[in-house]
């Protein structure tokens, strides 16, 4: 097994990977992981893992690579699920693989694997017995795969304080109001991104939600009216669902499970539009840094 070392000189497309660039990368959020989940449910459920190749041992966490291979080679994939920004591969040996793609991770299904499909940043290869394979790629190597007993998944996520799932039926307007009541002094945009508050929303969709709801990203929760809260709730559901429909946003390195870019970028209303005219009012979109993250908004129609 060759230990891979990704060099600083490598690039993402034509963009050099410099420390400052890492700060600007956006992690795949709920719509992107949900897209991969739905696709993999169609592509790999029922397939038997013939062999696992671990090309970068540090990606496999909580278990030695040799044990990981012996435990999962020969297993069959039962189900793919998602919790927040995390993908879960359920196997028939009572274990699940919890995969976090972090900033630059990809899970790509290849129907007929060729040597050229495996890149320098392919860190784990799951070979199926029908000649297809699932590649875990990650240029920046912040992601991981963790084996967790399936019966302990709920405990695993609650130990990590994962917030509620915003697209579940039990995430009602009443529940959202209740959650906000406990955070009166927080600014709305960083709060929407807080994974212990709600799971799955990150830097891109939190900006889109604030724009849609005509709320300034800096608004304190205690200043929000009932109508504001209603709008945020409605926008949140709408934007996440719509983005799933278009297989997510490929603003950086995100690709879906078939190696294709998501189609939501042309539908973004405010993210990445600083200096341009607001689609709604014609005002100039501004960008600030809020809680360490670049945040675009329209000062004319967001209040
Ligand atoms: Zn505007």
């Amino acid at each position: 097994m060759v230990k891979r070392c990704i060099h600083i000189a490598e690039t993402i497309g034509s963009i050099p990977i410099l420390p400052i660039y890492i700060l600007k990368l956006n992690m795949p959020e709920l719509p992107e992981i949900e897209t991969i989940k739905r696709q993999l449910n169609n592509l790999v459920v029922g397939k038997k893992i013939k062999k696992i190749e671990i090309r970068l041992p540090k990606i496999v966490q909580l278990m030695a690579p040799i044990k990981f291979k012996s435990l999962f080679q020969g297993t069959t994939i039962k189900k793919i699920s998602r919790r927040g920004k995390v993908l879960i591969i359920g196997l028939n040996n009572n274990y699940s693989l919890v995969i976090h793609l972090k900033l630059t991770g990809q899970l790509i299904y290849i129907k007929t694997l060729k040597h050229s499909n495996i890149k320098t940043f392919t860190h784990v290869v799951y070979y199926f017995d029908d000649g297809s394979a699932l590649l875990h790629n990650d240029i920046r190597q912040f992601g991981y795969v963790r084996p967790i007993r399936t019966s302990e998944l709920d405990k695993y996520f609650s130990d990590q304080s994962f917030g509620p799932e915003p697209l579940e039926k039990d995430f009602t307007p009443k529940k959202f109001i209740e959650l906000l009541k406990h955070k009166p002094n927080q600014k709305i945009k960083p709060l929407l991104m807080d994974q212990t508050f709600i799971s799955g929303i990150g830097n891109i969709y939190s900006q889109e939600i604030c724009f849609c709801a005509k709320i300034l990203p800096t608004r304190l929760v205690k200043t929000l009216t009932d109508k504001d809260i209603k709008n945020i709730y409605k926008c949140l559901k709408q934007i996440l669902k719509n983005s799933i429909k278009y297989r997510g946003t490929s603003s950086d390195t995100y690709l879906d499970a078939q190696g294709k870019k998501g189609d939501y970028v042309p539908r973004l209303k405010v993210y990445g539009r600083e200096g341009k005219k607001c689609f709604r009012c014609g005002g100039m979109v501004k960008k600030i840094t809020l809680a360490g993250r670049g945040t675009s908004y329209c000062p004319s129609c967001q209040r």
Side-chain angles (χ1 to χ4, degrees):
M1 194 190 316
V2 184
K3 194 173 176 184
R4 291 280 163 174
C5 179
I6 300 293
H7 220 257
I8 196 77
E10 271 198 345
T11 58
I12 301 175
S14 58
I15 307 160
I17 303 168
L18 299 169
I20 190 72
Y21 185 65
I22 297 168
L23 296 173
K24 291 181 181 171
L25 285 171
N26 289 296
M27 190 181 287
E29 304 178 30
L30 187 154
E32 289 77 43
I33 305 301
E34 179 67 21
T35 299
I36 296 173
K37 179 200 103 177
R38 292 181 184 187
Q39 292 177 327
L40 289 182
N41 260 318
N42 289 325
L43 294 166
V44 302
V45 168
K47 288 195 197 272
K48 188 174 175 182
I49 302 172
K50 188 175 75 178
K51 191 181 126 190
I52 300 171
E53 184 186 354
I54 300 170
R55 297 156 55 85
L56 184 75
K58 74 167 186 183
I59 295 287
V60 175
Q61 296 185 353
L62 309 179
M63 190 178 276
I66 194 157
K67 190 175 175 203
F68 184 88
K69 282 164 66 166
S70 74
L71 196 56
F72 298 112
Q73 285 177 159
T75 58
T76 299
I77 296 181
K78 277 176 75 177
K79 181 181 153 189
I80 314 287
S81 49
R82 178 190 60 75
R83 184 76 173 89
K85 302 175 188 173
V86 171
L87 192 93
I88 305 154
I89 300 181
L91 297 158
N92 70 340
N93 65 346
N94 299 323
Y95 269 90
S96 290
L97 301 177
V98 170
I99 299 178
H100 202 315
L101 298 178
K102 294 281 177 164
L103 291 176
T104 55
Q106 300 168 336
L107 280 173
I108 313 271
Y109 172 78
I110 308 280
K111 200 174 173 199
T112 310
L113 188 72
K114 291 187 230 99
H115 191 70
S116 59
N117 296 128
I118 298 174
K119 310 292 181 194
T120 52
F121 50 89
T122 299
H123 304 314
V124 186
V125 185
Y126 301 89
Y127 295 89
F128 300 116
D129 61 356
D130 62 354
S132 64
L134 185 64
L135 310 182
H136 185 163
N137 297 341
D138 194 345
I139 289 169
R140 291 304 314 166
Q141 307 177 4
F142 291 118
Y144 58 74
V145 49
R146 292 178 179 167
I148 305 287
R149 281 183 193 278
T150 302
S151 60
E152 287 168 13
L153 279 175
D154 286 347
K155 185 179 180 302
Y156 172 82
F157 289 115
S158 89
D159 285 351
Q160 294 195 33
S161 306
F162 269 58
E165 286 291 329
L167 294 184
E168 289 294 312
K169 279 204 179 79
D170 62 358
F171 189 79
T172 57
K174 202 176 147 196
K175 184 165 179 174
F176 186 49
I177 292 165
E178 199 51 44
L179 289 169
L180 287 170
K181 263 187 197 162
H182 299 289
K183 308 279 181 184
N185 296 313
Q186 301 254 359
K187 289 173 182 157
I188 187 66
K189 190 242 175 185
L191 181 62
L192 290 172
M193 287 176 66
D194 177 350
Q195 298 306 294
T196 66
F197 179 68
I198 299 175
S199 287
I201 299 170
N203 194 39
I204 295 179
Y205 297 109
S206 57
Q207 294 176 50
E208 294 295 308
I209 293 164
C210 290
F211 178 82
C212 166
K214 301 185 186 174
I215 299 293
L216 283 173
T218 48
R219 276 278 291 278
L220 292 179
V221 168
K222 64 183 173 194
T223 71
L224 297 171
T225 64
D226 289 352
K227 196 183 160 207
D228 291 335
I229 294 172
K230 225 177 173 178
N231 285 339
I232 296 169
Y233 177 86
K234 207 175 87 188
C235 287
L236 185 157
K237 291 243 182 195
Q238 230 173 45
I239 286 169
L240 294 178
K241 281 183 189 166
N242 204 31
S243 178
I244 293 167
K245 194 172 132 193
Y246 290 101
R247 296 176 302 101
T249 302
S250 291
S251 65
D252 297 308
T253 59
Y254 162 74
L255 295 177
D256 70 12
Q258 292 178 306
K260 290 184 188 147
K261 287 187 173 189
D263 287 334
Y264 198 70
V265 168
R267 287 154 184 99
L268 292 167
K269 298 284 190 290
V270 74
Y271 171 82
R273 298 203 69 248
E274 63 273 16
K276 294 183 180 153
K277 273 189 178 177
C278 169
F279 285 134
R280 189 164 47 208
C281 76
M284 177 88 85
V285 175
K286 270 187 84 173
K287 189 175 180 181
I288 51 165
T289 301
L290 180 57
R293 303 303 303 269
T295 303
S296 298
Y297 68 100
C298 174
S300 315
C301 64
Q302 286 177 254
R303 296 299 162 101

